[in-house]
Amino acid sequence: MRNPQRLMPLVLLCSILLAGTGCSSAAPATGDAESPDSSLALLTAALPETLNPLAGFDNNGTGKINESLFTLEGSPDALPRIVPLLAAAEPTVSKDARTWKIELRQDARFSDGTTFDAADVVASFQAIMDPASASPILGTLSNVAEVKALDSHTVQFTLRESQVSFKTAMLIGIAPAEAIVPGERVEDSSLNRSPVGTGPYLVDSIGPSRLVLAANPDFRGGEVAPKRVTYEAAPDDNARAQRMRAGEFDGTVLPPRLAAGLSTNPDFELVKATSADWRGLSLPADNPLTGDPKVRLALNLAVDRQLLIDGVLAGSGRPAHTFVAAEYGGAFNPSAVFAHDARRAAALLDASGWVAGDDSMRSKDGMPAAFTLMYNPGDQLRRDLSLAFSAQMKQLGIDVSVEAATFDQAEPRVGTDAIMLGGGDTPYDVDTQLYKMLHSSYPATGAYYDNPSRFADPAMDQALETGRTTLDPAKRAAAYREVQRLYVSEPSMVLLAFIDHTYVQRTSVTDHWQGTGTLLEPHDHGTAWGPWVKIGQWVPKP
């Protein structure tokens, strides 16, 4: 329940992500004429509601239809590098990090035959920035004052304030200027179902339960080896596991426990991808219990994060104390942790006047120590984490009632009731992982799930702004370590875990294809990620 209002485009991504890939020996599910050696059958939790990059589809630099100026490159367990894709080279950045000049490659063409140039970049970014288009990712570009073409192959971005992390905004897919109607709402665009991109794949067909991608015969690098990728929707986790067992598909994404069950079968292999995707709960500011800073600290000390990971996640995750994972290197503060200490937690509650009664449950001035924790009813993992957290808090004398609530139902209650959230949407710079969750300008300048506890601290704001604007890497890292130090002294939420995304693919995939490995993944994931994140680079094994 991280991005309720943005869920539409992100679930799209999630959907495509949630499909698997492989060389199908059971291609009956695809219904295409391709041979098993080139046709891949993938099972996904949902199909995208839009394929439009201007609406946020594939906005993390790994688009298979619409490519971005930059893409991700790296190993599975480190922060990926952001490297040129449609850009010809690294950006030229002014000393104050407010002016970014991008040279564009000259060998890219859109699938409609038009040449990629600066006009396409300008049109794409301007469309997102235009409030009339109602793009869900408008906030990503809120710091952009102007984007213009210096010539046909050079684009310049001018920012309102210095932002060293601006490269992350250039992971958004580019559409052709000819297909963009100025002022048109993104939901009305023809690109939603008929995208035109420079990437290795085209849309062959899309229907209520199936999306088929076909290799782009005119792709600049030559037609890719996996010729056809079919994504079929199956929302239920158990149904996807059963259909994998039946041999219908080559891969899928599953919750950790279901994935582990399939991995004992020699026909399948389990693939885990490290992520910056966190789960945690908001602590509502208007609730008399969770609005108390000492109570928020007590909750963080009382929760046994490792127990949750071992139980709910079957070991597929790492404890999250702040929003910053170890993969952020020098910006990570290893001392910023909440050591599990139930006794200290109880003492803090006692000191705040929340004392235990004869039934061991706590109250203050006749008010019970209680709050409601909402979770997205379609998310089994968030439900299980919510229930496990509730059980642990009961031992502390706090009554946490767990309730299923849709995104729309949760929004008006964010001030009084907690929400099990997920985050790490664009985690490829520590600034984008932290700023919206801790800066006092949010949620007013964003959405209700940004800084949902309405945390405000001038020292925190200063550290976040230093990290965002300073050009000195050492000073940036020090600023973010300070952010984490401040956070553990007065937390605004209860972070629980960074989730390892778990995928299952048939062993025949590995036997036939030379894959590309995994990357550190964002919150939105699935079979566009996992071992298939760079599927356009797969080649058959000799």
Side-chain angles (χ1 to χ4, degrees):
M1 194 174 286
R2 166 74 178 101
N3 299 340
Q5 295 175 332
R6 280 194 296 179
L7 190 67
M8 177 189 73
L10 294 182
V11 164
L12 335 176
L13 174 69
C14 223
S15 342
I16 273 202
L17 310 180
L18 289 175
T21 64
C23 59
S24 175
S25 57
T30 68
D32 60 57
E34 299 288 340
S35 71
D37 287 345
S38 62
S39 179
L40 310 168
L42 320 171
L43 193 58
T44 177
L47 290 181
E49 294 180 24
T50 177
L51 302 177
N52 186 352
L54 310 183
F57 176 66
D58 271 350
N59 67 336
N60 265 309
T62 59
K64 295 164 182 58
I65 302 169
N66 291 90
E67 297 177 304
S68 45
L69 293 175
F70 291 84
T71 187
L72 305 174
E73 184 179 275
S75 61
D77 54 0
L79 195 67
R81 299 179 300 281
I82 301 177
V83 299
L85 183 56
L86 290 178
E90 291 295 323
T92 301
V93 185
S94 63
K95 290 182 179 180
D96 62 0
R98 290 185 62 241
T99 302
W100 294 63
K101 187 168 70 173
I102 314 296
E103 300 291 335
L104 306 178
R105 64 187 307 154
Q106 301 184 34
D107 61 346
R109 298 183 70 84
F110 288 98
S111 57
D112 64 359
T114 58
T115 300
F116 164 75
D117 60 23
D120 304 304
V121 178
V122 172
S124 294
F125 278 84
Q126 286 183 342
I128 296 169
M129 293 162 58
D130 183 357
S133 71
S135 172
I137 57 172
L138 170 63
T140 304
L141 304 180
S142 60
N143 193 29
V144 179
E146 181 186 37
V147 53
K148 65 180 181 180
L150 299 182
D151 57 46
S152 61
H153 292 98
T154 311
V155 173
Q156 181 173 288
F157 294 88
T158 302
L159 308 185
R160 292 184 171 87
E161 64 178 17
S162 302
Q163 184 181 347
V164 179
S165 66
F166 182 66
K167 232 181 174 185
T168 59
M170 292 185 278
L171 297 174
I172 294 169
I174 304 299
E178 295 82 359
I180 299 172
V181 179
E184 180 181 54
R185 291 176 66 89
V186 291
E187 64 189 43
D188 298 327
S189 172
S190 63
L191 297 172
N192 292 324
R193 285 295 178 270
S194 302
V196 180
T198 59
Y201 286 97
L202 314 171
V203 175
D204 180 85
S205 64
I206 183 169
S209 62
R210 183 178 296 174
L211 169 67
V212 181
L213 302 184
N216 180 357
D218 299 318
F219 183 56
R220 64 184 176 275
E223 191 174 61
V224 296
K227 304 298 183 191
R228 198 173 186 85
V229 185
T230 298
Y231 302 90
E232 187 158 326
D236 184 78
D237 294 337
N238 289 304
R240 291 201 307 282
Q242 290 168 5
R243 294 180 73 178
M244 282 295 296
R245 288 191 187 94
E248 295 182 63
F249 293 89
D250 298 306
T252 192
V253 59
L254 290 170
R257 287 190 173 281
L258 282 174
L262 276 177
S263 68
T264 60
N265 185 324
D267 290 336
F268 303 101
E269 64 175 336
L270 174 66
V271 178
K272 290 186 179 183
T274 304
S275 83
D277 177 15
W278 53 261
R279 295 292 181 277
L281 57 141
S282 64
L283 297 176
D286 297 335
N287 183 294
L289 177 68
T290 56
D292 184 335
K294 288 184 179 179
V295 172
R296 294 199 298 267
L297 179 56
L299 295 176
N300 273 280
L301 293 169
V303 65
D304 188 335
R305 293 169 172 82
Q306 191 59 53
L307 186 62
L308 293 177
I309 291 168
D310 293 341
V312 177
L313 300 181
S316 294
R318 296 152 293 145
H321 302 273
T322 74
F323 300 96
V324 183
E327 286 74 22
Y328 287 95
F332 172 66
N333 186 343
S335 65
V337 298
F338 298 100
H340 177 52
D341 191 339
R343 288 187 178 182
R344 185 183 170 205
L348 283 168
L349 292 172
D350 289 339
S352 296
W354 296 95
V355 296
D358 293 339
D359 60 355
S360 298
M361 301 305 290
R362 294 177 179 272
S363 64
K364 181 178 182 179
D365 300 329
M367 181 178 296
F371 62 93
T372 298
L373 174 55
M374 299 178 288
Y375 72 92
N376 178 6
D379 193 318
Q380 177 180 323
L381 182 58
R382 296 191 200 201
R383 180 202 66 189
D384 293 348
L385 282 171
S386 298
L387 291 169
F389 177 82
S390 174
Q392 289 194 19
M393 292 305 102
K394 190 171 184 178
Q395 297 175 21
L396 190 64
I398 295 177
D399 181 17
V400 180
S401 59
V402 175
E403 177 185 333
T406 65
F407 301 131
D408 290 340
Q409 291 168 339
E411 181 173 1
R413 298 168 55 183
V414 69
T416 55
D417 298 321
I419 311 174
M420 183 61 70
L421 297 171
D425 300 335
T426 53
Y428 299 112
D429 188 281
V430 67
D431 170 73
T432 55
Q433 187 80 345
L434 283 173
Y435 199 86
K436 287 185 178 182
M437 297 309 296
L438 292 175
H439 196 275
S440 64
S441 61
Y442 291 89
T445 55
Y448 75 86
Y449 44 77
D450 297 322
N451 190 11
S453 305
R454 304 203 297 268
F455 178 78
D457 174 27
M460 178 71 78
D461 283 355
Q462 181 178 354
L464 287 167
E465 290 160 8
T466 298
R468 168 166 280 202
T469 60
T470 185
L471 303 183
D472 185 324
K475 289 182 179 178
R476 274 198 94 209
Y480 288 122
R481 291 195 300 271
E482 175 65 5
V483 166
Q484 294 156 76
R485 187 194 68 79
L486 291 169
Y487 181 85
V488 296
S489 68
E490 187 179 344
S492 60
M493 294 177 55
V494 180
L495 277 295
L496 299 175
F498 293 106
I499 308 297
D500 288 343
H501 299 151
T502 49
Y503 303 91
V504 173
Q505 69 175 354
R506 300 188 68 82
T507 52
S508 56
V509 175
T510 306
D511 293 341
H512 180 73
W513 293 101
Q514 181 64 54
T516 49
T518 63
L519 293 169
L520 181 77
E521 296 190 347
H523 172 62
D524 300 285
H525 60 283
T527 48
W529 292 87
W532 314 283
V533 63
K534 299 279 189 178
I535 193 172
Q537 298 177 15
W538 283 20
V539 294
K541 287 182 177 178

